[in-house]
Amino acid sequence: MQNDTITAIATPPGPGGIGIIRISGSDAFAIALPLLRSAAQRAPFTDIPPSHQLTYAHLVDPVTDETLDEVLVAFMSAPRTYTREDVVEIQGHGGPLVLQRILRAVLAQGARMANPGEFTLRAFLNGRLDLAQAEAVMDLISSQTEAGLRLAMQQLRGRLSAHVQQARHAILGVIARIEASIDFPEDDIPTPQSSELRPLIEVALQQVDELLAGAEQGRLYRQGLRTSIIGRPNVGKSSLLNALLRTERAIVTPIAGTTRDTVEEVANLRGIPLHLIDTAGITPSDDPVEQIGVQRSRAAAETSDLILLVFDGSESLTEQDYRVCDELQLMGFGSGESSSVVPGSQSSSYRQRPVVLVVNKADCVQRIELAELERLWPISSTGAAIPLIHTSTLTGAGLSELEATLSDLVLAGKILHSEDVLVTNVRHQDALRHASDHLRASMISLRQKVPLDFVSIDLRAAFDLLGEVTGETASENLLDRIFSEFCIGK
Ligand code: GDP
């Protein structure tokens, strides 16, 4: 299929200043050239214009010789092009009708309409990009935040691929040692001892798990940080939510499924979407209606990355305050223990769960027992003291400090480590997770003294799964699925 020449309108539909039609394939030049006339004499071009330069021309219908548009054309010789094939890009006026007419003329010359993502697919098949990089192209186009954009750029430059290749290389080393001893026993290659193999597998496993830790953080960038505002009734949670949204000049988006009990809004905190979930208190209640609210709150907290725990500074701590604290600590918020790594689990694995204490109503006489609060919440999961901020939603006091604390937590690496390779793509995360499972299984087999060829089955599986990230072992189905999600013309 790859020897035909494809074309598509590469700019978004609708009127625009300019519109670009892209042609790629071995006939790209032969297809474009007869459509062009030199602007001065309106004569056909005798030579292909210089590569990678813009040439001014009239684009005509070769049958009627009618001028369809004035254009700038770039002829780009392989291999220094997006697809590594000969590419022509025609820049015309951006009207949909104009572009359609040019496209029709190009198709009439023998080009085929490109499928979604087919230009990028060719870049992949011709070895210009690996699969993770090709997917980064799509992420780049669809990025909603600057942080997401930076990540996609990083992936496009191949940082993820390089790390995945490192892990693959480590696994291949182990497979080679095992298989050499199985395949060539007569060559006196000693059977490797599990004590030799284990550290090698551990290295690979560590590399994969580091990428997985980055996967969890990549999710935060993509989907935002789920922040719950929690506290007993009347401490000022709703007021705080409103105040935060207002002062951030937030892009407020109502989320489908919003209920009376939990209100979700999204604020944009320096490029990272921050979900604020206001909950109707979390302490158990006998009232059946309120119980539903309590369950929702718990579920919201359970899936949160960060908790704003709000107290009323104008009152003593109540029994309900203590109960909220107990509940959250049971869920693992603010606990000093680093959560255990549970392969394949979406929940608290790979994650620290910070809490920020907010003592609200700072404008009133303060009766809350601060020492007691600090005793309840001594040290955060990052080892630092848990932040405690005094706010007043009435006067606005402390709100900017609260915002600074939140953005610190997010950006200063307490939740997100910006230097890590962040894996944002769900497909990559799945492949990494399964690879990690197989590596663990191979360690267990080693420990149980299972014959080495069985150990190597799991190692092979891990090796292939990692290859799916970069595309070395991706099936045609997988490729079809990935590239069909692209837009036409990319
Ligand atoms: P929620 O039940 O926790 O969501 O609390 P609300 O936000 O509904 O606030 C409960 C009451 O406290 C309301 O009457 C608010 O006007 C009041 N309130 C909220 N924040 C403050 C504050 O900072 N200072 C004072 N004095 N009152 C506040």
Side-chain angles (χ1 to χ4, degrees):
M1 269 320 256
Q2 254 208 88
N3 33 31
D4 57 357
T5 296
I6 53 173
T7 185
I9 300 173
T11 38
I18 58 169
I20 296 178
I21 284 157
R22 195 184 236 175
I23 312 169
S24 177
S26 50
D27 292 336
F29 292 178
I31 284 171
L33 211 57
L35 299 175
L36 302 173
R37 302 286 178 268
S38 69
Q41 290 106 26
R42 239 184 149 276
F45 282 77
T46 45
D47 294 318
I48 291 164
S51 186
H52 290 80
Q53 287 184 25
L54 285 179
T55 305
Y56 176 58
H58 284 188
L59 195 137
V60 299
D61 181 327
V63 181
T64 61
D65 210 40
E66 179 197 357
T67 299
L68 301 179
D69 200 5
E70 280 175 63
V71 295
L72 286 172
V73 194
F75 284 76
M76 293 175 272
S77 304
R80 280 179 41 232
T81 65
Y82 183 63
T83 54
R84 286 220 170 139
E85 301 173 333
D86 282 345
V87 170
V88 178
E89 285 183 7
I90 304 171
Q91 299 185 8
H93 289 96
L97 201 60
V98 179
L99 292 177
Q100 286 294 344
R101 288 177 74 187
I102 300 177
L103 181 67
R104 229 175 292 142
V106 172
L107 290 170
Q109 289 294 106
R112 167 173 69 76
M113 194 63 209
N115 295 320
E118 198 170 359
F119 291 97
T120 310
L121 174 64
R122 288 188 173 198
F124 164 68
L125 292 174
N126 293 326
R128 185 181 172 284
L129 302 169
D130 68 30
L131 196 54
Q133 288 174 310
E135 289 171 294
V137 171
M138 187 160 56
D139 291 347
L140 203 63
I141 298 171
S142 56
S143 279
Q144 304 272 355
T145 65
E146 292 212 12
L149 198 62
R150 276 199 302 276
L151 283 179
M153 222 28 236
Q154 198 189 60
Q155 191 175 321
L156 184 57
R157 283 201 221 101
R159 264 193 80 185
L160 170 64
S161 308
H163 280 74
V164 168
Q165 291 300 12
Q166 247 178 14
R168 282 191 100 208
H169 190 76
I171 297 170
L172 194 62
V174 188
I175 295 175
R177 291 194 60 165
I178 293 178
E179 294 193 351
S181 73
I182 295 171
D183 293 346
F184 308 105
E186 69 277 11
D187 290 353
D188 278 348
I189 295 178
T191 307
Q193 298 301 306
S194 64
S195 58
E196 290 169 61
L197 296 178
R198 188 168 305 124
L200 298 175
I201 301 176
E202 261 165 13
V203 168
L205 183 60
Q206 194 184 350
Q207 286 168 342
V208 173
D209 280 350
E210 270 168 23
L211 284 170
L212 269 174
E216 184 64 12
Q217 297 179 356
R219 181 189 66 79
L220 296 182
Y221 264 105
R222 213 181 56 249
Q223 299 176 351
L225 201 64
R226 287 180 63 88
T227 303
S228 291
I229 303 181
I230 289 190
R232 67 170 163 86
N234 250 7
V235 292
K237 298 183 298 295
S238 311
S239 313
L240 190 67
L241 172 70
N242 288 330
L244 276 176
L245 291 177
R246 198 163 45 242
T247 54
E248 265 298 326
R249 294 187 205 294
I251 304 160
V252 181
T253 343
I255 288 182
T258 295
T259 67
R260 264 201 353 231
D261 310 303
T262 62
V263 181
E264 274 202 40
E265 310 264 14
V266 182
N268 191 333
L269 188 76
R270 303 189 194 170
I272 295 174
L274 190 75
H275 295 246
L276 296 169
I277 308 157
D278 174 29
T279 60
I282 198 171
T283 57
S285 151
D286 296 333
D287 177 348
V289 179
E290 249 185 65
Q291 264 181 1
I292 296 171
V294 168
Q295 272 165 14
R296 290 224 173 94
S297 309
R298 253 196 222 128
E302 195 63 79
T303 56
S304 286
D305 303 303
L306 173 76
I307 296 282
L308 297 188
L309 180 51
V310 188
F311 299 91
D312 182 343
S314 71
E315 293 178 5
S316 281
L317 287 168
T318 68
E319 190 53 36
Q320 265 187 317
D321 285 323
Y322 282 105
R323 284 226 292 263
V324 174
C325 294
D326 286 349
E327 281 278 342
L328 289 178
Q329 288 180 347
L330 277 176
M331 286 182 205
F333 280 94
S335 67
E337 300 151 24
S338 65
S339 47
S340 61
V341 176
V342 186
S345 129
Q346 285 281 335
S347 62
S348 60
S349 54
Y350 322 113
R351 194 195 293 182
Q352 300 165 329
R353 314 232 285 168
V355 174
V356 174
L357 305 179
V358 179
V359 176
N360 191 35
K361 309 198 186 179
D363 53 291
C364 303
V365 176
Q366 297 293 287
R367 296 206 173 79
I368 191 168
E369 300 82 359
L370 285 176
E372 181 67 7
L373 208 54
E374 278 164 4
R375 191 187 62 75
L376 278 175
W377 295 96
I379 300 289
S380 77
S381 53
T382 57
I386 288 192
L388 187 152
I389 320 261
H390 297 269
T391 60
S392 165
T393 64
L394 224 59
T395 65
L399 290 178
S400 57
E401 195 193 336
L402 178 57
E403 279 166 19
T405 304
L406 294 184
S407 79
D408 254 20
L409 277 168
V410 178
L411 299 170
K414 298 201 177 112
I415 298 175
L416 299 177
H417 303 276
S418 52
E419 70 280 9
D420 285 355
V421 177
L422 301 186
V423 184
T424 52
N425 184 300
V426 178
R427 189 185 73 79
H428 300 169
Q429 295 172 3
D430 282 349
L432 289 169
R433 213 165 266 135
H434 287 129
S436 167
D437 290 347
H438 279 291
L439 289 175
R440 267 173 235 281
S442 73
M443 301 269 283
I444 293 169
S445 302
L446 265 188
R447 199 165 47 237
Q448 294 174 342
K449 308 233 180 305
V450 173
L452 283 181
D453 17 359
F454 287 102
V455 178
S456 108
I457 290 173
D458 273 312
L459 292 172
R460 278 242 163 251
F463 181 75
D464 287 348
L465 280 160
L466 293 180
E468 280 187 11
V469 175
T470 48
E472 270 109 332
T473 52
S475 68
E476 205 154 310
N477 272 345
L478 178 64
L479 294 181
D480 280 352
R481 210 175 57 232
I482 291 169
F483 284 98
S484 64
E485 284 168 19
F486 274 59
C487 42
I488 298 255
K490 191 64 222 177

